[in-house]
Amino acid sequence: MLNRMAVLLLGITALLFASCSSSRKTFDPDRKFAPDKLQKDFTLFRNILEENHPSLYWFTPKDSMDLYFDNGFRLLTDSMTEPAFRNLLSTITSKIRCGHTSMRYSKRYTDWLDTARLRMFPFTVKVWGPDSLAVTATLNRKDSLLKRGTVVTAIDGRDIAQIIDTFTNYLQSDGNIITGKYQMMSNRNSFGNLYRVVYGIPEKVRIDYIDSNGLPQSAMIAAFDPPPTVKRKEKAEADTSKRLPAPGTPTPKPPKDVPKAVSLNANRNLQIDTTLKSAYMTLNTFSMGSRLRGFFRRSFREMKKREIKYLVVDVRNNGGGDAGNSTLLTKYISKKKFKLADSLYTNKRSSHYGKHIELQPLYWLWTLFVTHKEEDGNFHFGFFERHYYKPKRRLHYDGQVYILTGGNSFSATTLFAKAIQGQSNVTIVGEETGGGAYGNTAWMIPDVTLPNTHIRFRLPRFRLVMDSTLAKQGRGIMPDIEVGYNSYFIKRGVDPKLGVVYRIIRDRARMEKEMDGMKGGK
């Protein structure tokens, strides 16, 4: 009897495995969906956003959003592939001006991309302005023409300003912030992925560039074809372990073969320079699972033991995560009590489209207990609107703090930076953050799956307002000392932001030493 059962179970398992394998093999990434299927998904996409997104009209008036929706629907007169339809939806989510509302491929298409040997754009770039782009690395090792720092002026006859402007229409950002979009294009292969889905990548790409003598040149550069033995872990503009995710997307999990200690150290570490009595803290995430509570405790204990006078906190590549972790770091540095938000609310507990929204029943139950309806018709999370956090007494840091920011500084990172901005011992150095200084729409962000194409989009459920006086501006946290990039820094591999902070610390340390000497002389 047992043997028969074992054989039966093995047979069922083999059939299931064969079925799954067959399903994977028969997946057609070039499949086109009929207009009626696309129209149904589009209508659902619009209805869910209009019903549930608490900030749909925060920066874009309703009549304008209605126009964007209507124009998008009118384009659905012919069949479309999944990437084409996703592109269309992305141009609409970008108009919401919410960095947490983004489109994602279906799970099957994402799985296919995991191992697909797609032709790749031949180099990676750094974008730092509406018409400023330079090469950071080439994928073809034999290509010695386009060196690091080479300024590119056109690609396949398209002016760089035109390309950058086009790409911004496919990328999400908070409010009126553009630095985040520039940084998204600069994150490893993101520019190349965008180029593929918008224009396609031919076998050879024509590049117009400025040579080392400052003269305009043109050349045909071969696209990069991955070797057959290499499996590419690329999820077209989504998260990978090899490049920074776009701000607002979930933090990617490290590969299984990477030791936990190594991945943790890559995301957060502390380096101490005893000569300058300074410490450099790298924080690339505030996500749960990064064991930040213990890391902060050990770090601030070590800094107190070594009498560190200058602390650099690098959050340039921190896309956010758990607000509890960012709040904890704030408590170690802030000199006064602080709140997370002036207001935090959702506009809906239930939904007519709950079966398409991830964990909707749990969301309804959770909001039933922690939110209450107020006169404005919204359901407010009163605890965070009223609660003040107190600074740490033990291991509190009172030295000079320099926070490095950039376009990837997003979400919970802005909660941290905003809470201590303006404090007498805190200086923010770098570029405008990708996350809004006024607040954001996030907190709980389920996936919504469209039933016909199975394309997914992220639906933030809570509007968090940190500073209502800044909402109309729709900007990020502005640095006290603005430091950007140019081709000179890229060509020489120079970190200009860290360079500025190092010089400040060096000069302050030298001045303090001289003053101590003068006091000793007296």
Side-chain angles (χ1 to χ4, degrees):
M1 182 68 179
L2 288 175
N3 288 337
R4 288 182 179 178
M5 285 296 295
V7 171
L8 181 62
L9 287 172
L10 286 171
I12 293 173
T13 302
L15 285 172
L16 287 173
F17 180 80
S19 174
C20 292
S21 299
S22 173
S23 175
R24 283 194 293 267
K25 288 180 180 178
T26 57
F27 175 70
D28 180 10
D30 298 317
R31 173 193 174 187
K32 288 190 174 183
F33 294 88
D36 64 317
K37 300 291 185 183
L38 299 172
Q39 290 168 3
K40 288 178 181 178
D41 273 8
F42 188 97
T43 301
L44 182 64
F45 164 76
R46 177 176 183 170
N47 290 344
I48 290 176
L49 286 172
E50 290 181 333
E51 181 195 55
N52 295 280
H53 200 296
S55 302
L56 187 61
Y57 312 119
W58 199 357
F59 293 102
T60 304
K62 185 179 186 305
D63 57 352
S64 296
M65 279 306 307
D66 288 345
L67 184 63
Y68 294 133
F69 280 125
D70 292 342
N71 288 342
F73 188 83
R74 290 192 191 101
L75 296 174
L76 302 176
T77 58
D78 199 358
S79 300
M80 280 188 181
T81 62
E82 180 175 334
F85 186 50
R86 179 182 178 275
N87 284 354
L88 173 62
L89 298 182
S90 293
T91 62
I92 295 173
T93 55
S94 72
K95 300 301 188 293
I96 302 172
R97 302 188 194 181
C98 168
H100 289 90
T101 307
S102 57
M103 301 306 307
R104 309 173 72 181
Y105 284 112
S106 68
K107 291 183 179 180
R108 291 193 70 193
Y109 196 90
T110 302
D111 288 342
W112 173 79
L113 281 169
D114 275 350
T115 54
R117 293 182 56 252
L118 299 179
R119 181 182 296 154
M120 298 175 67
F121 196 76
F123 53 86
T124 59
V125 306
K126 170 66 179 177
V127 176
W128 67 90
D131 57 359
S132 302
L133 179 150
V135 175
T136 54
T138 56
L139 301 186
N140 291 306
R141 293 184 179 181
K142 296 180 180 179
D143 179 17
S144 59
L145 185 63
L146 296 179
K147 299 182 183 299
R148 179 183 176 89
T150 300
V151 173
V152 178
T153 57
I155 302 174
D156 284 334
R158 302 180 184 93
D159 186 77
I160 283 299
Q162 173 196 341
I163 294 173
I164 293 174
D165 181 63
T166 298
F167 285 179
T168 60
N169 294 315
Y170 295 88
L171 299 172
Q172 73 276 9
S173 69
D174 277 353
N176 301 314
I177 303 168
I178 195 66
T179 54
K181 292 190 176 185
Y182 292 157
Q183 186 57 55
M184 274 188 261
M185 296 180 208
S186 305
N187 290 345
R188 294 292 180 92
N189 295 322
S190 295
F191 182 88
N193 290 333
L194 277 167
Y195 202 91
R196 177 192 299 118
V197 298
V198 176
Y199 300 121
I201 301 177
E203 291 185 9
K204 289 191 175 182
V205 183
R206 179 182 172 181
I207 307 297
D208 293 345
Y209 64 99
I210 305 298
D211 68 14
S212 57
N213 295 317
L215 301 175
Q217 301 289 349
S218 181
M220 297 298 294
I221 306 295
F224 179 73
D225 290 315
T229 55
V230 176
K231 288 187 177 181
R232 292 174 58 244
K233 285 287 184 180
E234 187 171 2
K235 296 183 179 180
E237 301 170 59
D239 312 331
T240 75
S241 60
K242 295 182 180 179
R243 72 168 184 275
L244 295 169
T249 56
T251 302
K253 294 181 179 180
K256 293 181 179 180
D257 57 345
V258 175
K260 182 68 174 177
V262 174
S263 63
L264 285 173
N265 188 65
N267 278 329
R268 80 292 188 280
N269 61 77
L270 181 74
Q271 302 172 49
I272 290 179
D273 182 345
T274 55
T275 305
L276 288 177
K277 290 290 183 179
S278 63
Y280 184 88
M281 180 182 288
T282 300
L283 280 176
N284 291 334
T285 183
F286 282 118
S287 65
M288 297 177 66
S290 296
R291 302 179 187 176
L292 288 173
R293 184 170 295 273
F295 170 74
F296 290 148
R297 184 174 59 252
R298 291 190 302 272
S299 296
F300 284 98
R301 182 189 297 130
E302 186 68 16
M303 285 189 282
K304 184 174 184 178
K305 176 183 176 182
R306 293 178 178 267
E307 299 180 341
I308 296 301
K309 295 182 178 181
Y310 312 102
L311 170 62
V312 182
V313 183
D314 190 345
V315 289
R316 286 177 288 181
N317 292 323
N318 194 322
D322 181 19
N325 284 330
S326 64
T327 299
L328 179 59
L329 177 60
T330 307
K331 291 164 72 173
Y332 277 103
I333 298 174
S334 179
K335 291 185 176 182
K336 61 182 180 180
K337 62 181 183 179
F338 61 94
K339 282 198 307 181
L340 278 187
D342 291 336
S343 63
L344 178 63
Y345 62 84
T346 182
N347 61 328
K348 283 282 185 178
R349 281 176 175 161
S350 58
S351 173
H352 293 98
Y353 311 99
K355 67 179 182 180
H356 303 291
I357 303 174
E358 182 183 40
L359 303 177
Q360 173 60 33
L362 291 178
Y363 169 80
W364 173 83
L365 184 63
W366 182 77
T367 54
L368 192 66
F369 284 101
V370 302
T371 67
H372 65 280
K373 192 172 185 178
E374 293 195 353
E375 293 181 358
D376 61 3
N378 295 310
F379 299 90
H380 286 254
F381 201 147
F383 173 80
F384 287 109
E385 295 180 342
R386 298 184 299 269
H387 183 72
Y388 279 87
Y389 293 91
K390 296 180 180 179
K392 288 270 188 182
R393 291 185 178 180
R394 183 171 176 267
L395 300 181
H396 188 272
Y397 186 78
D398 298 309
Q400 295 294 319
V401 180
Y402 302 92
I403 302 173
L404 302 183
T405 61
N408 278 331
S409 304
F410 191 74
S411 196
T413 302
T414 58
L415 296 180
F416 158 67
K418 184 69 172 63
I420 59 177
Q421 185 181 30
Q423 190 169 291
S424 59
N425 65 327
V426 172
T427 304
I428 298 179
V429 180
E431 299 166 282
E432 178 183 6
T433 60
Y438 54 86
N440 57 51
T441 310
W443 212 256
M444 296 187 70
I445 316 176
D447 268 359
V448 177
T449 302
L450 302 177
N452 294 301
T453 60
H454 300 290
I455 286 176
R456 299 165 290 166
F457 67 93
R458 304 183 74 225
L459 178 68
R461 305 301 296 268
F462 276 83
R463 179 191 287 197
L464 181 149
V465 182
M466 292 188 286
D467 190 339
S468 58
T469 64
L470 299 176
K472 289 185 178 180
Q473 300 173 22
R475 301 302 298 271
I477 296 174
M478 299 298 183
D480 301 306
I481 302 175
E482 186 172 3
V483 184
Y485 284 88
N486 57 41
S487 60
Y488 174 88
F489 294 129
I490 297 168
K491 186 177 297 183
R492 287 160 179 76
V494 173
D495 185 339
K497 300 175 186 179
L498 186 57
V500 167
V501 171
Y502 172 77
R503 286 192 293 273
I504 293 174
I505 292 175
R506 181 197 61 194
D507 293 344
R508 288 189 68 123
R510 183 184 300 161
M511 184 174 64
E512 290 179 2
K513 187 176 181 180
E514 290 174 355
M515 291 180 67
D516 289 342
M518 291 172 65
K519 291 178 181 178
K522 290 182 178 180

